Amino acid sequence: MALTPQLSPKPRVLIVGGGYAGLYVAKNLEKQVKARGGVVTIVDPLPYMTYQPFLPEVVGGHIEPRHAVVDRRTHLKASEHVIGKVVKVEHARKTATVQTEDGSEFEIPYQDIVMTAGATTRTFPIPGLAEAGIGLKAIEEAEALRNQILERIEAASTMTDVEEKRRALTFVVVGGGFAGIETIAEMEDIIRATIAKNPRLAQSDARIVLVEAMGRIMPEVSEDQALGVVDHLKTRGIEVLLNTSLSSAEDNLMKLINMQDKSDAGEFYADTLVWTAGVAANGVAKKTDFPVEERGRIEVTPTLQVSDGDGGVLEGAWGCGDVCAVPDLTGAGPGGFCVPNAQHAGRQAKRLAANLLAVRFGAGPVEEYVHKSLGAVAGFGVGKGVGNPLGVKISGLPAWLAHRGYHVMAMPMFERKARIFTGWLNELVWGRDTTAVENLDRPHNAFLEAAGGTPQVGRFESKKALAK
């Protein structure tokens, strides 16, 4: 156990996870807690919050990566910030153990704890998935995916081997939920736009494949809307494989299986594999002494207090967002719980903050969290989309405008909204930026070469070397 860094000795509200819910809890608490002699401390492995609904637009080149994140030190000046990962919570001792990037650990005592650690990508033990795939939960993944798409297109334009070229220009997305559909649509847009600029390539050279294990996509919209989206994707040349699952991705050979009869559904090589097949509660939930339900989420009551597992609540323990099983009192949520999305997380955060102040300082009544979903909207690239805001079915341009309008409003902090909106205006004037930033995985190669060293090879060069 390492020495504890210099932290405030004041009574602490410890927020575990600085994502969408954690950011808003801190924003609503920090000044109130400070005025009452306490301190809000946020622990997260990263110094910024990522607005995940904008990640597909980062891939598509509509939003600069830095504009889709919020620096917590800039916008939460009255809070205490700790960059690290909570690896244990002992509420019986009111202590959390934090691990830093170098592996050292220290304990942080608290008066109240708020669990808002969010969710992580849910994966399955598929051979080769870890090596060949990339998720889309982090800004780093979105930027890396965008650069990989652009790099593979440029590399393919000089390839003479037909199979190698086909592999470079084959792009696969696994998962037909909102994230997967928005991602593959934005990928198709930027792939077509980039190929159009390269006279050595034809649009027919690209192959874009969606793999979904269920018999339909986008359960958030009606079945007829989902069928319409499938038809729309097909008109854009995207192959939609329903009732199909990925069984192996070893050496970037995509092997598919039919989920209805478990038969072989074909195989092909692809250099780009994107995994968007669901999320799971952050594993820190199981490293606490809080009750955890079967899906790995912390059990909380409608007042967003952690349950004691016996009909009551644990004093000083709170939680909301994707890491918690928050009851949906409207009855609309699957299994009786709120779905994991930003719409719920932001509203839960505000209610949690108000309830915590009420319990700790008597600042108002304690109320249950109730929110009827406003519906959902998805963007499929400029002027394209689908949704059902307030129960009204829309598609095309209206859906795309609703998508952008809602999410720029939901993006935390006015400064971030302004950067995103002005970026969209720039794109309207100057067009989409299809510039790739090369060598992000080996940025010191230029200096190594200048100094007489041996530059490191990248992912694709390494695979070619192994193949030989």
Side-chain angles (χ1 to χ4, degrees), residues 28-197:
N28 285 275
L29 281 181
E30 60 172 6
K31 293 180 181 178
Q32 301 257 30
V33 171
K34 182 178 180 180
R36 291 169 170 82
V39 63
V40 170
T41 302
I42 307 167
V43 180
D44 193 278
L46 299 170
Y48 50 79
M49 179 226 81
T50 301
Y51 188 65
Q52 294 177 3
F54 274 150
L55 293 182
E57 289 219 26
V58 171
V59 174
H62 309 297
I63 295 176
E64 285 297 313
R66 287 179 302 152
H67 297 172
V69 303
V70 177
D71 177 61
R72 287 191 293 272
R73 289 188 186 274
T74 299
H75 294 282
L76 298 174
K77 293 183 173 65
S79 294
E80 186 176 56
H81 302 271
V82 176
I83 304 303
K85 180 170 61 175
V86 171
V87 293
K88 183 192 296 184
V89 173
E90 298 174 85
H91 192 63
R93 296 175 53 224
K94 289 204 168 182
T95 300
T97 302
V98 177
Q99 184 181 80
T100 59
E101 191 174 10
D102 64 5
S104 61
E105 296 183 355
F106 58 89
E107 293 183 341
I108 299 181
Y110 60 83
Q111 184 178 58
D112 292 277
I113 190 168
V114 181
M115 301 299 297
T116 55
T120 59
T121 301
R122 181 186 63 181
T123 60
F124 301 100
I126 297 173
L129 176 61
E131 295 76 21
I134 185 170
L136 201 67
K137 288 285 290 179
I139 195 67
E140 295 86 356
E141 291 176 318
E143 185 171 14
L145 175 57
R146 167 181 158 79
N147 285 321
Q148 176 169 320
I149 291 168
L150 298 175
E151 187 277 334
R152 287 290 80 193
I153 292 172
E154 185 62 35
S157 72
T158 59
M159 291 177 180
T160 56
D161 183 279
V162 174
E163 292 302 319
E164 186 181 14
K165 181 177 180 180
R166 181 178 294 118
R167 170 174 170 159
L169 293 176
T170 300
F171 307 89
V172 181
V173 174
V174 178
F178 255 51
I181 300 302
E182 288 188 319
T183 299
I184 201 166
E186 290 288 2
M187 287 172 61
E188 188 272 339
D189 257 7
I190 196 167
I191 289 167
R192 304 299 177 194
T194 307
I195 288 178
K197 296 179 180 180

Side-chain angles (χ1 to χ4, degrees), residues 234-466:
K234 289 180 178 178
T235 65
R236 295 167 64 172
I238 298 172
E239 298 176 39
V240 180
L241 306 179
L242 301 179
N243 295 307
T244 305
S245 181
L246 181 71
S247 62
S248 174
E250 284 189 298
D251 299 322
N252 284 80
L253 177 61
M254 307 295 133
K255 294 184 177 181
L256 306 178
I257 183 172
N258 185 300
M259 294 300 292
Q260 293 179 310
D261 58 13
K262 304 302 180 182
S263 63
D264 177 26
E267 62 182 42
F268 55 87
Y269 282 99
D271 277 344
T272 303
L273 170 63
V274 187
W275 182 269
T276 63
V279 297
N282 193 301
V284 70
K286 296 181 179 179
K287 298 176 182 177
T288 70
D289 48 3
F290 299 138
V292 175
E293 46 91 77
E294 59 185 11
R295 294 183 60 184
R297 298 175 297 182
I298 297 170
E299 296 180 7
V300 300
T301 67
T303 57
L304 304 173
Q305 294 169 278
V306 176
S307 169
D308 65 1
D310 196 30
V313 299
L314 293 173
E315 187 275 330
W318 304 80
C320 69
D322 299 355
V323 75
C324 297
V326 179
D328 187 344
L329 299 185
T330 70
F337 298 102
C338 296
V339 296
N341 62 22
Q343 184 179 145
H344 276 302
R347 289 172 171 82
Q348 289 170 8
K350 293 175 184 178
R351 173 45 46 201
L352 186 155
N355 284 351
L356 190 154
L357 292 171
V359 170
R360 181 59 62 191
F361 305 110
V366 176
E367 298 180 11
E368 294 181 335
Y369 172 74
V370 184
H371 170 65
K372 185 176 181 180
S373 174
L374 299 176
V377 286
F380 303 152
V382 177
K384 303 178 283 282
V386 70
N388 52 15
L390 301 176
V392 179
K393 295 180 181 180
I394 56 176
S395 61
L397 181 62
W400 176 72
L401 291 173
H403 164 77
R404 281 203 164 178
Y406 173 77
H407 284 298
V408 79
M409 288 176 59
M411 180 73 194
M413 311 306 171
F414 180 79
E415 170 255 345
R416 294 284 107 175
K417 302 178 198 287
R419 290 181 188 273
I420 289 168
F421 188 72
T422 53
W424 285 339
L425 290 179
N426 280 330
E427 182 184 24
L428 185 64
V429 175
W430 306 109
R432 185 200 307 264
D433 189 342
T434 56
T435 306
V437 180
E438 300 285 350
N439 302 320
L440 287 178
D441 58 338
R442 46 194 193 283
H444 56 296
N445 267 2
F447 185 79
L448 275 174
E449 193 169 2
T454 303
Q456 295 181 343
V457 296
R459 174 185 176 190
F460 299 108
E461 293 92 335
S462 297
K463 287 185 176 181
K464 287 175 66 176
L466 287 172

